[in-house]
Amino acid sequence: MAPLENYYDQAESIADKRMGPGIMMLSSTLQLLYSARRSWELLGCIMAPGVKTAYGMLPPPVTELCGEILELLKPCTDVNDGQQFRVKRVLGGPERPLLVCGFGLPEQEGSKSRILLTIEELGRRQEAIIDQAKDLFRLTAREVAVVENLLKGWTNKEIANALKVTEQTVKEHIKHIMAKTKTSTRTAILVQVLRL
């Protein structure tokens, strides 16, 4: 019976790490038009401990982000240029940071301006990517540590210092990772990993 329990614990852990982002759609008056349940779970992390809001009320930092998007939408003349209507913020505490991206969808024929929000845990996403890369490319524990540090943008020397190995050892690990990921540069390794 113990192996079956371990299997369920492991499956639950993997599922938890691979949870997707929360998604919300708001009107230009910040009226909630759509929200996935996951959105509210994540937004609960932004609220100060002990502070409660009514269902459907956004935390103040998210409301401020939406206000910035609405300001960008006011002088809107070119409906095709959606990039200028995006605002990103890292919100929440250091123990559970969230990336909140707001996209302003300008007014078009017959529809008012809207705001699309995506909310996602930063650490969880990278953790899930690393787990997938480890499984897919059959990386050793040391190779996983090297990939984690490559994702931080560290140099070979910085990685060597963190892992308490020589720079040559780091180069060897990178060489093995390149072979396993069928790549030829550090950047290509990151592209392969981030595709996951």
Side-chain angles (χ1 to χ4, degrees):
M1 189 129 181
L4 188 58
E5 287 174 7
N6 289 342
Y7 171 77
Y8 286 124
D9 289 343
Q10 188 178 17
E12 210 170 86
S13 169
I14 290 168
D16 189 38
K17 288 177 187 170
R18 289 184 168 86
M19 289 185 101
I23 298 171
M24 302 180 108
M25 182 70 76
L26 304 164
S27 71
S28 57
T29 58
L30 300 189
Q31 178 185 5
L32 186 63
L33 301 173
Y34 169 80
S35 71
R37 193 185 94 217
R38 177 90 171 126
S39 307
W40 293 107
E41 291 170 11
L42 293 170
L43 288 179
C45 303
I46 297 173
M47 297 305 296
V51 174
K52 295 195 180 209
T53 60
Y55 179 76
M57 294 293 295
L58 297 172
V62 177
T63 304
E64 290 170 20
L65 182 138
C66 291
E68 288 181 45
I69 294 169
L70 290 172
E71 285 299 313
L72 292 171
L73 285 171
K74 277 184 183 174
C76 175
T77 54
D78 185 4
V79 178
N80 296 326
D81 189 12
Q83 273 306 97
Q84 68 181 5
F85 308 119
R86 184 175 70 178
V87 177
K88 294 195 306 187
R89 292 278 184 285
V90 175
L91 303 174
E95 65 285 340
R96 198 168 178 192
L98 301 175
L99 177 63
V100 180
C101 294
F103 301 90
L105 307 172
E107 190 172 320
Q108 291 184 349
E109 292 177 37
S111 72
K112 300 280 185 191
S113 298
R114 295 187 179 184
I115 298 172
L116 173 68
L117 293 177
T118 62
I119 308 132
E120 115 180 68
E121 287 183 88
L122 287 176
R124 292 244 187 211
R125 181 175 181 206
Q126 185 168 332
E127 213 176 276
I129 288 171
I130 295 295
D131 283 351
Q132 287 177 327
K134 180 182 178 184
D135 294 343
L136 182 64
F137 302 119
R138 299 175 191 237
L139 301 176
T140 66
R142 269 307 179 170
E143 291 166 350
V144 167
V146 169
V147 169
E148 287 173 334
N149 291 318
L150 286 175
L151 285 168
K152 295 176 189 173
W154 288 9
T155 64
N156 289 352
K157 187 174 186 174
E158 290 170 323
I159 295 171
N161 289 337
L163 300 179
K164 296 179 177 36
V165 297
T166 67
E167 229 176 305
Q168 185 57 42
T169 303
V170 172
K171 288 178 184 177
E172 287 298 315
H173 285 310
I174 291 174
K175 192 168 108 181
H176 293 139
I177 295 166
M178 285 178 188
K180 290 178 178 182
T181 58
K182 295 180 175 61
T183 58
S184 57
T185 65
R186 293 163 58 106
T187 305
I189 291 171
L190 295 178
V191 168
Q192 284 287 69
V193 169
L194 291 172
R195 278 185 183 165
L196 303 174

